[in-house]
Amino acid sequence: MLRNVSRNVSQPEFDDLPMAATIKDIARQLSISTSTVSYALNGGPRTVPEEVRQRVLDTARALGYRPNRIARSLVTGRNMTIGVVPSEAAHDLTLIPHFHTCFNGIVNEAEKSRQDVLMFTRASAYESEDLFDSLHDGRIDGVIFVAPRTDLPLLCLFRDSQLPFVLVSSDAASCAPAFTCDNREGITQAVDHLISLGHTKIAHIHGMLSLQDGIERLRAFRDAMLAAGLELRDDWILDGQFSPIGGYEAANRLLNVPDRPTAIVCANDEIAVGVYRAVWERNLRIPDTFSVVGFDDALAGRITLPPLTTVRQPIEQMGAAALRALIDLIEGRPAHGRSFGTDLIVRESTCRPKEDIT
């Protein structure tokens, strides 16, 4: 049974609560103008003598002043917030290894620079002009595009935009700093490694061809095979969509052909995980059935059995470098992109072709 029990307990009136100090309070305490206080607290836009600035800071601490971020942005023209636009707003986006690692690099570097990060999770649900307007609504100081599609109309709109932007894993916008890895070097390292083990029958499961990494890695595979004088078979080049499911389906197709390849170069480690699954379901083994090479050096490839031979690209460093470059652009300094090198990490998923061992 519910009862309404009244208690004679005095409640504080709102007037009794301490009020936050304002810039006017600091100015009144020091007998100086509010604009001088604002310049001292925000570091500009006009300079303040060091002695005055220190008095303002000391008084602000003594009075318990807390800055109003909106007011500060009106003075400085900065929100101290960076926007991040991923290539695809897929389900479990933040669990995709490439984006997860890149975003981690961006956030860690943003913390050092005292920046907040705002991720536009519904980016692919917007029309380009709607997303363009959303990015320009005053919430952010600049944008990092992570692996944008090569045909993304939004990048064309940004070429004439005043909002600074940079790209990761793409250089589709020639007017913006781009932070990429050397896909040609990485795939060539993978193919050369397999050739050194004696493989001549090598397949490739490529990634999404709407993304620059997918295009460049497929092109690099074709060139590496032709340079080595090896047969380039169309039925051994399959689409894996940069996903475990794509890799699984492509591997099953390769397992069903009478003349199987002895090795597979995967466009990323997620594709390789799908290959492992397809091989395991048939009670076969890697590298006996296929030698497998991935790309990225994601955590999943280090804990598979056997551990995955892969091409390492420094995705986290690429994200951090993009954040630093974007801040340079925001603050009016020049910024330049960079192509990062790759390293072949040899583990236990590659060996000599079984036909050579038996």
Side-chain angles (χ1 to χ4, degrees), residues 199-231:
H199 291 277
T200 58
K201 299 162 64 177
I202 305 173
H204 178 54
I205 304 179
H206 62 77
M208 296 170 64
L209 298 183
S210 60
L211 303 180
Q212 183 167 318
D213 284 345
I215 296 170
E216 289 188 351
R217 291 172 197 175
L218 173 56
R219 185 180 298 132
F221 175 78
R222 292 181 182 276
D223 290 347
M225 292 288 285
L226 291 174
L230 298 181
E231 183 181 13

Side-chain angles (χ1 to χ4, degrees), residues 9-32:
V9 178
S10 61
Q11 298 295 326
E13 298 293 336
F14 286 114
D15 290 343
D16 296 332
L17 297 176
M19 299 295 291
T22 66
I23 286 179
K24 289 182 179 180
D25 296 327
I26 300 171
R28 188 180 304 114
Q29 183 87 1
L30 296 174
S31 298
I32 59 178

Side-chain angles (χ1 to χ4, degrees), residues 5-231:
V5 179
S6 64
R7 300 177 61 190
N8 187 20
V9 178
S10 61
Q11 298 295 326
E13 298 293 336
F14 286 114
D15 290 343
D16 296 332
L17 297 176
M19 299 295 291
T22 66
I23 286 179
K24 289 182 179 180
D25 296 327
I26 300 171
R28 188 180 304 114
Q29 183 87 1
L30 296 174
S31 298
I32 59 178
S33 69
T34 56
S35 59
T36 299
V37 174
S38 176
Y39 299 152
L41 292 173
N42 295 305
R46 294 184 181 177
T47 57
V48 174
E50 180 58 28
E51 182 269 335
V52 175
R53 189 185 76 87
Q54 194 58 53
R55 286 172 55 208
V56 169
L57 295 178
D58 291 342
T59 303
R61 278 192 291 270
L63 294 178
Y65 169 77
R66 295 292 181 269
N68 183 310
R69 187 161 187 166
I70 296 174
R72 173 179 285 181
S73 70
L74 293 174
V75 173
T76 63
R78 292 282 304 279
N79 291 295
M80 304 301 287
T81 302
I82 300 301
V84 174
V85 178
S87 61
E88 299 288 340
H91 185 63
D92 292 334
L93 168 69
T94 56
L95 300 181
I96 296 173
H98 178 277
F99 180 77
H100 172 88
T101 306
C102 180
F103 190 67
N104 194 56
I106 292 170
V107 170
N108 286 343
E109 194 65 27
E111 183 180 3
K112 296 178 187 176
S113 306
R114 304 182 67 181
Q115 307 282 323
D116 283 331
V117 176
L118 176 61
M119 182 169 65
F120 287 77
T121 55
R122 298 189 66 250
S124 66
Y126 286 98
E127 295 292 335
S128 288
E129 291 186 2
D130 292 337
L131 179 54
F132 182 83
D133 292 339
S134 183
L135 293 170
H136 285 77
D137 66 5
R139 288 179 289 173
I140 59 176
D141 299 319
V143 188
I144 300 175
F145 291 96
V146 179
R149 299 194 317 270
T150 56
D151 61 348
L152 187 65
L154 182 64
L155 295 181
C156 296
L157 297 175
F158 259 84
R159 290 191 178 99
D160 298 322
S161 168
Q162 298 301 309
L163 188 66
F165 72 105
V166 298
L167 297 88
V168 178
S169 296
S170 174
D171 58 8
S174 58
C175 60
F179 298 87
T180 60
C181 82
D182 190 335
N183 286 312
R184 178 168 294 277
E185 175 188 54
I187 292 296
T188 301
Q189 289 169 333
V191 173
D192 287 350
H193 168 65
L194 292 171
I195 292 173
S196 73
L197 294 173
H199 291 277
T200 58
K201 299 162 64 177
I202 305 173
H204 178 54
I205 304 179
H206 62 77
M208 296 170 64
L209 298 183
S210 60
L211 303 180
Q212 183 167 318
D213 284 345
I215 296 170
E216 289 188 351
R217 291 172 197 175
L218 173 56
R219 185 180 298 132
F221 175 78
R222 292 181 182 276
D223 290 347
M225 292 288 285
L226 291 174
L230 298 181
E231 183 181 13

Side-chain angles (χ1 to χ4, degrees), residues 273-285:
V273 168
V275 173
Y276 272 58
R277 176 74 186 192
V279 171
W280 175 81
E281 283 186 351
R282 302 197 187 201
N283 293 318
L284 300 172
R285 298 181 60 187

Side-chain angles (χ1 to χ4, degrees), residues 238 247-261 264 274-285 289-290:
L238 302 172
Y248 172 82
E249 293 175 348
N252 273 314
R253 290 174 62 184
L254 291 173
L255 286 165
N256 288 333
V257 298
D259 184 19
R260 294 178 183 169
I264 304 173
V275 173
Y276 272 58
R277 176 74 186 192
V279 171
W280 175 81
E281 283 186 351
R282 302 197 187 201
N283 293 318
L284 300 172
R285 298 181 60 187
T289 305
F290 301 123

